[in-house]
Amino acid sequence: MSHRRLSHLDALESESIHILREVRAEFSRPAILYSIGKDSSVMLRLAQKAFYPGKIPFPLLHIDTTYKFREMIEFRDRLAADLGVNLIVHTNHEAIAAGANPFKLGTSKCCALLKTKALLDALAEQKIDAAIGGARRDEEKSRAKERIFSFRDSFGQWDPKNQRPELWNLYNGRIEKGQSVRVFPLSNWTELDVWEYIERERIPVVPLYFAKPREVIVRGDLVVLPEHNMPWQAGDHLETVTCRMRSLGCTYCSGAIRSQADTVPAIVEELKEFRRSERENRLIDHDQEGSMELKKREGYF
Amino acid sequence: MSSSVSYHPSRDLLRLLTAGSVDDGKSTLIGRLLHDSGALPEDELAAVYKASRERGHEFDPSLVTDGLRAEREQGITIDVAYRYFATAKRKFIIADTPGHEQYTRNMVTGASTADLAVLLIDARKGVLTQTRRHLYTAWMLGIRNIVLALNKMDLVNFDQEVFERVKSSFLDYAGPLRFRDLQFVPMSALEGDNVTRTSERTPWYGGMPLLNILETVPTREEQAAGNLRFPVQLVIRPSQDVRVYAGQVASGTIVPGMEVMALPSRQRTRVERVFLHTAELQEAYSPMSVAVSLRDHIDLGRGDMLCDTLTEPPESHSFRAKLFWMSPAPAALHGAYLLKHATQTVCMNISHLHHKLDINTLQELPAASLSLNEIGEVTVQTHKPIFCDPYHVNKITGSFIVVDPIQNSTVAVGIITGEERPAANHGHPSLAESVSSAASHKGLTVWMTGLSGAGKTTICQAVYTEMLARGIRVEMLDGDTVRQNFSRNLGFSKEDRTENVRRIGYVAGLLTRNRVVTLVSAISPYRAARDEVRAQIGRFLEVYVNAPFQVCEQRDPKGLYRRARNGEIRGFTGLDDPYEPPLVPEIECRTDQESVKDSVDKVVTAILGAIE
Ligand SMILES: Nc1nc2c(ncn2[C@@H]2O[C@H](COP(=O)(O)OP(=O)(O)O)[C@@H](O)[C@H]2O)c(=O)[nH]1
């Protein structure tokens, strides 16, 4: 009778499962936006738990910019087959054919075409009314105020000044045709929570997260994996560095970090020590102050 | 026990709210907490130092939390922002809410899930109207742990007198709201005094720095107690004849084998399994999300609820509520709205607006409508019943949101009031602080004896509610319910009556030993049987619920006296079976002469005194 108190991971898990079940109950065509990263992996485990002994009742939607790491794509295809879920892959082929890449267009224009536009097109094409994403509020300042059910108008845009109040565990999921919501069941998780959960649940993640000696391009403080004919800049040189990815994006825009953490427990330990933000090695957040918020207003996830 | 649910966790989760008027130093305090507890990554820290220098400071903690671009431009916080940090003991979620009156709705949002509120006061300004509003809002939403952070103590030379003055003026206002725990901390958020470390500049302050308070305050546990409420979220049907009910426990405990009643069908069955994914659970309690299977196929779907069978389940389509209006369009009396409660959405209207509340003075004012940020006491009617409890008993089944069916926006939130109101100023301010920490209270058996119809159950239920509202572990053993359950085989002979009392006494003893306040209401007519139980339990308080036989017979709430007079019932206490009143009861309630409230207050006061 005395110790009826949940651990923080159990409390977070329970909240996320409740959210996923609400989405299932209140929307007609939800989909999980599957990014292949660690947060997506946790999301899938939560969805498995939420609907067991049934199957995950949502398709997975992956926006493929074609600049993803090879290991990510392999991991994605294997996982979808194992879970028996429907995987929808969408690419903005038009833009790719026109030669869109971050060097030609700059990172923000490239993201706008290959991620934001591709996502909005895919949601419209699939008539998805609730897109479930793995974003966390601790990732970036502008996310701190985002709701768990985040309303988007018929152009997919977010209005930070006009959000629906969200109280207790009561989510208002009512929308008109053409409108949609983004749902963030992991809102209250931190990066450390995610890794602790991966450890506890033994959730498989892409091997790129684990440190090993890799041949990389060293560019000042940055360490970049040479995939997709990464263009060289003055001063770049190749080196073998023990490193890992902290967050996974496109090859051109995600750097690796120097690290010895080659197992999940080692990563958890590293994070407890570590005092760097997770997105620091992502180039996109830095190209403009407050840039993530601008992207979000335009419909970036 | 399953491997994936840890029952003896090293770290738990505390949700807290921060509120204060503009410029009291809220952003500074949060920045300070994040900074000093080591939650800030190096690169963010560097950015804050850089921005601080640009503004001519060395380090300005308030820059840590600046959020949206629009706000940065206006220089104010306009929405709830959530922040995260952890120490070795706990993970914390801060709901950082704006101070302006026009954003009260944001504070309401943040307060709905918080276990504790930190209210900021500028030591130079003292208690402002705003502070009162913040305090009342926190109270209304059920937060019973409050930390008053008296900030900017550096600007008043860390003067103890200033601290004491603000504290006493605050207590004047807060007394009647009966907080479980009020703590006052003298602080300088800017310079870090008493935030994460005890300050040397306040040697007269004997309390803990803020962070220690946050690490040690008990989190909300009371939901594990109380009656079972399991709102069904989904029915999962992996195959034709397998049905699994998915949901999050709102209160009470669900256990394999227990008898449950489904609402609204009122069908009874037993729980077969409680599980989550591949883990079989021996029990589940709030706020666990689980799946449940039942012994029989019954009519049950989303929006329905599973309850225990110990008490009459709650069901209502007309109830009183406090509505907090959140929309620029004022409330339309009798207009059609949607109400979302637990997992069901129904049509509703506001059938009566009793008054609105001036949140600054707590005065009730006549009103024709409610506009943005106003609070009103209303009667709500729903087109089909909802399964609700008063909010102070159960936050989940006691709350709802109101949705505009055309705009789809959330226009109001409501809490179902039952009878709870702030006690008048002349009430019992001593009650407010007499129980400072729920976790530490002792157990006690409170034995209410008296004739049928004397008022035992009424007093018992009201006391139960008062206990729950204070976060005290409490359980109720009602004679009638006991007879329907584990004394089902007993009649009303002297032996059987004595045996019944012995059984109740045995269970009450177990509960008392486990530090539960156990409220027994049973006629228990024989002195010797009661005294035997008293001797066994030790921590025992006898309440003689006394009304003259004629009064009880006239009340006859269950029609038993009439049936006894007609000879349908034999051996009826007071008629043809003796009632032996206690010789020296700890408390006597003359229910024919005093009001229910008088009786309840007496009992509550005695309990609080006995369990400290
Ligand atoms: N001297 C002093 N100034 C403070 C303290 N806390 C905050 N301030 C200042 O008060 C002003 C308002 O603080 P801020 O945190 O932005 O207030 P908010 O509007 O409540 O978020 C800023 O100039 C702070 O530097 C304190 O403890 N002592």
Side-chain angles (χ1 to χ4, degrees), chain B residues 147-353:
Chain B
V147 178
L148 260 297
L150 256 79
N151 191 30
K152 307 200 185 179
M153 286 299 290
D154 54 310
L155 299 180
V156 297
N157 293 316
F158 294 91
D159 183 350
Q160 180 176 10
E161 242 170 69
V162 174
F163 176 74
E164 296 297 340
R165 205 164 48 233
V166 179
K167 178 171 165 181
S168 79
S169 78
F170 186 83
L171 280 174
D172 283 346
Y173 175 81
L177 296 181
R178 296 184 180 178
F179 284 96
R180 182 200 292 164
D181 211 350
L182 276 176
Q183 307 211 41
F184 298 83
V185 185
M187 188 181 285
S188 169
L190 193 62
E191 296 171 8
D193 299 76
N194 293 326
V195 179
T196 56
R197 281 183 307 264
T198 305
S199 169
E200 277 159 19
R201 300 194 281 186
T202 53
W204 43 267
Y205 171 65
M208 292 186 277
L210 177 64
L211 185 62
N212 290 31
I213 296 177
L214 299 183
E215 282 185 324
T216 50
V217 77
T219 53
R220 206 187 304 141
E221 269 182 295
E222 63 261 43
Q223 303 281 39
N227 292 105
L228 173 67
R229 302 285 185 258
F230 182 78
V232 175
Q233 250 188 312
L234 279 181
V235 182
I236 298 171
R237 301 192 61 177
S239 66
Q240 264 306 308
D241 36 46
V242 178
R243 279 169 205 242
V244 169
Y245 303 96
Q248 189 172 29
V249 183
S251 70
T253 309
I254 190 162
V255 180
M258 81 185 277
E259 184 175 43
V260 286
M261 181 191 275
L263 290 179
S265 73
R266 298 194 155 243
Q267 286 172 289
R268 290 176 180 227
T269 176
R270 286 188 184 274
V271 174
E272 190 176 63
R273 295 168 57 208
V274 179
F275 60 101
L276 180 63
H277 197 215
T278 51
E280 291 293 329
L281 303 175
Q282 253 122 68
E283 60 169 8
Y285 46 89
S286 172
M288 290 168 73
S289 284
V290 293
V292 168
S293 66
L294 301 174
R295 293 254 169 99
D296 310 292
H297 271 194
I298 57 169
D299 184 14
L300 190 63
R302 177 169 167 86
D304 299 346
M305 176 127 69
L306 289 176
C307 299
D308 59 53
T309 54
L310 300 176
T311 49
E312 184 57 17
E315 196 171 353
S316 175
H317 59 251
S318 174
F319 49 85
R320 260 174 103 113
K322 279 203 182 82
L323 268 196
F324 190 96
W325 203 257
M326 295 188 155
S327 159
L333 220 60
H334 308 295
Y337 294 105
L338 293 169
L339 174 144
K340 184 169 181 188
H341 171 265
T343 55
Q344 72 171 340
T345 301
V346 298
C347 291
M348 65 155 259
N349 68 62
I350 303 167
S351 64
H352 192 78
L353 173 56

Side-chain angles (χ1 to χ4, degrees), chain B residues 21-28 62 151-152 154-155 188-190:
Chain B
S21 307
V22 187
D23 279 348
D24 283 352
K26 192 164 51 68
S27 317
T28 310
S62 73
N151 191 30
K152 307 200 185 179
D154 54 310
L155 299 180
S188 169
L190 193 62

Side-chain angles (χ1 to χ4, degrees), chain A residues 14 145 188 193 275 277 289, chain B residues 42-43 69 84 91 287:
Chain A
S14 167
K145 307 196 173 189
N188 287 325
D193 298 329
R275 293 272 160 254
S277 24
E289 231 225 308
Chain B
E42 269 167 32
D43 53 327
R69 174 174 290 255
Y84 304 86
K91 166 170 170 146

Side-chain angles (χ1 to χ4, degrees), chain A residues 18-19 22 26 148-149 166 169-173, chain B residues 340 401:
Chain A
H18 174 263
I19 294 164
E22 282 301 286
E26 302 224 323
I148 289 174
F149 274 44
E166 213 161 62
N169 61 356
L170 291 172
Y171 304 102
N172 171 4
Chain B
K340 184 169 181 188
I401 59 174

Side-chain angles (χ1 to χ4, degrees), chain A residues 36-37 69 72 206 208-209 245-250 254 282:
Chain A
I36 319 179
F69 294 95
M72 290 170 73
V206 182
L208 284 166
Y209 283 115
M245 304 296 292
R246 192 162 174 208
S247 68
L248 298 179
C250 295
S254 346
R282 286 203 150 180

